[in-house]
Amino acid sequence: MQAELLAKIKESFPQAAEEAAKEGEYRDPAPVLTVPKESLAALCKLLRDDAALAFDYLMNLTAVDYKDRLVMVYQLYSMRLKHKITLKAALPTDGPAIDSVTSVWKGADWLEREVFDLFGVTFTGHPDPRRILLPEDWVGHPLRKNYTREPDRYD
Amino acid sequence: MDVRSGVVLDRLPLVVEKLPGGRLVTTTADFFIDWATESSVWPLTFGLACCAIEMMAAYASRFDFDRLGVIPRGTPRQADMIIVAGTVTKKMAPRIERLYHQMPDPKFVLSMGSCSNTGGPFYDSYSVVKGVDKVVPVDVYLPGCPPRPDALMYAVLKIQEKIKKMSIKDRLPQTQVAIEAMKQAGAV
């Protein structure tokens, strides 16, 4: 993505900080922006609606557990302009919650349900906040680092 | 006297040639019913993971399960056998249990592949059942990851061997229950 577009995003969202690649780390050349969780949904809407950015496709939505914090990861792509960007937002491990982006990209629906199912992140404003992969009566969120498995009758 | 003790009747039908107007074939009910059952082991159309791909290959023309009388059925009501082909998750387990109970007796369970036998590579997983025998009783365990269609065919032959040893006396448990109830009521 062009540097002036990145500068434009930073101008509209001064809270957004670019995350540099570590020494010797291979990474996709697409920029990574770290934003506070409160402004993430608004930034997503801007990225989609601005004609010069036009991020119309949410490629991936997932989370990473770093033990002291949970980090939401959003990988965006513009079908029209063929450029990519990654957004990250840190959440507390105790009661993580963030605004849903289903109003920006419809495809976020099942991805957010998966992150809720496996990491226990609550998405405010999600139209159907249920588990998607595990049984409805499952206890806990298995991809959290502090998850402990209780053997049941199938183990 | 045990009806199965006659060597000739047990092994092959006896053809009575000198009947006026044609021939008469006599055999035991056990032999005849077992022969019919083993020649039409209809499995439920049911696959869970990559083992199902091998199972489909076994159904198709190269291996041709039809010649063993194995024709997949679309409903448990018409199925005699369930091939558990793939990873059984804890979410799927109650469904397998329900499908099993929807099948009419006599019914057979073929556990196909490592996942279905013991959990396989998912032995430490939070979401996988460690063997389908924790849910339904298994007749034949087929090892492999996944087993080739040849191996599946061998497992079906093993099920047919098992059917050959069955007796009408113990193959219909609900009939036995009904007869016992009638005896107790003094109807028989």
Side-chain angles (χ1 to χ4, degrees):
Chain A
M1 196 167 81
Q2 290 164 349
E4 56 264 33
L5 287 177
L6 199 58
K8 187 179 167 184
I9 297 170
K10 282 182 184 162
E11 197 185 313
S12 315
F13 275 82
Q15 321 91 308
E18 194 177 357
E19 189 183 290
K22 289 191 196 76
E23 183 72 28
E25 179 195 17
Y26 172 77
R27 208 165 71 179
D28 194 280
V32 179
L33 287 183
T34 309
V35 286
K37 63 179 165 86
E38 292 80 15
S39 51
L40 182 110
L43 175 59
C44 285
K45 196 158 169 27
L46 173 99
L47 292 180
R48 186 198 63 178
D49 290 341
D50 192 301
L53 298 164
F55 285 101
D56 47 9
Y57 180 44
L58 175 65
M59 286 196 293
N60 187 26
L61 187 163
T62 188
V64 186
D65 188 353
Y66 289 102
K67 288 187 181 174
D68 58 328
R69 67 196 192 284
L70 273 170
V71 173
M72 291 296 304
V73 181
Y74 300 77
Q75 290 175 309
L76 314 180
Y77 183 66
S78 173
M79 292 279 195
R80 191 153 60 78
L81 303 173
K82 317 283 183 214
H83 57 206
K84 288 193 273 190
I85 194 170
T86 301
L87 306 179
K88 288 185 182 180
L91 306 178
T93 50
D94 189 26
I98 194 165
D99 284 336
S100 171
V101 293
T102 44
S103 56
V104 185
W105 300 285
K106 274 239 163 114
D109 186 343
W110 283 15
L111 298 171
E112 287 185 347
R113 278 178 67 187
E114 187 178 349
V115 171
F116 163 71
D117 197 356
L118 302 177
F119 288 95
V121 176
T122 312
F123 290 93
T124 318
H126 191 284
D128 186 21
R130 288 182 296 137
R131 286 187 184 276
I132 188 168
L133 296 169
L134 295 167
E136 294 276 308
D137 56 352
W138 194 274
V139 179
H141 304 282
L143 290 193
R144 292 283 285 268
K145 295 286 184 193
N146 60 1
Y147 178 75
T148 47
R149 185 158 62 89
E150 296 294 327
D152 55 23
R153 75 186 189 96
Y154 298 125
D155 282 303
Chain B
M1 194 182 105
D2 184 1
V3 290
R4 294 180 67 100
S5 60
V7 175
V8 174
L9 291 183
D10 213 26
R11 295 283 168 237
L12 70 163
L14 181 70
V15 181
V16 181
E17 298 264 7
K18 291 172 183 167
L19 201 75
R23 291 174 178 182
L24 179 71
V25 178
T26 61
T27 182
T28 60
D30 272 348
F31 180 91
F32 179 72
I33 293 171
D34 286 350
W35 167 77
T37 310
E38 69 163 294
S39 307
S40 60
V41 188
W42 288 354
L44 181 63
T45 306
F46 182 73
L48 294 175
C50 37
C51 278
I53 303 295
E54 301 297 309
M55 185 181 70
M56 287 180 255
Y59 290 147
S61 50
R62 189 181 186 90
F63 297 92
D64 193 14
F65 258 15
D66 279 20
R67 63 204 163 102
L68 301 179
V70 177
I71 304 164
R73 308 303 295 178
T75 160
R77 310 288 182 195
Q78 298 174 356
D80 306 297
M81 172 169 71
I82 179 167
I83 302 176
V84 184
T87 315
V88 182
T89 58
K90 288 177 183 174
K91 198 174 183 178
M92 195 66 195
R95 277 84 169 167
I96 292 181
E97 207 173 335
R98 174 181 282 191
L99 285 168
Y100 177 78
H101 287 304
Q102 284 174 340
M103 284 159 59
D105 279 319
K107 49 192 169 188
F108 307 93
V109 178
L110 202 168
S111 169
M112 181 182 182
S114 297
C115 294
S116 174
N117 292 340
T118 63
F122 308 105
Y123 72 98
D124 203 18
S125 167
Y126 55 86
S127 61
V128 173
V129 179
K130 310 302 179 299
V132 75
D133 52 6
K134 295 196 185 298
V135 189
V136 291
V138 174
D139 291 279
V140 172
Y141 296 87
L142 171 59
C145 188
R148 278 189 53 80
D150 323 56
L152 181 60
M153 190 171 289
Y154 183 73
V156 170
L157 292 175
K158 280 284 168 198
I159 288 217
Q160 291 183 338
E161 266 176 44
K162 186 170 183 169
I163 293 171
K164 273 183 203 148
K165 290 175 191 152
M166 282 173 30
S167 174
I168 192 169
K169 285 191 300 221
D170 39 53
R171 68 181 298 166
L172 297 170
Q174 70 274 60
T175 318
Q176 289 298 313
V177 170
I179 290 171
E180 283 304 312
M182 284 163 77
K183 274 183 186 163
Q184 277 184 7
V188 181

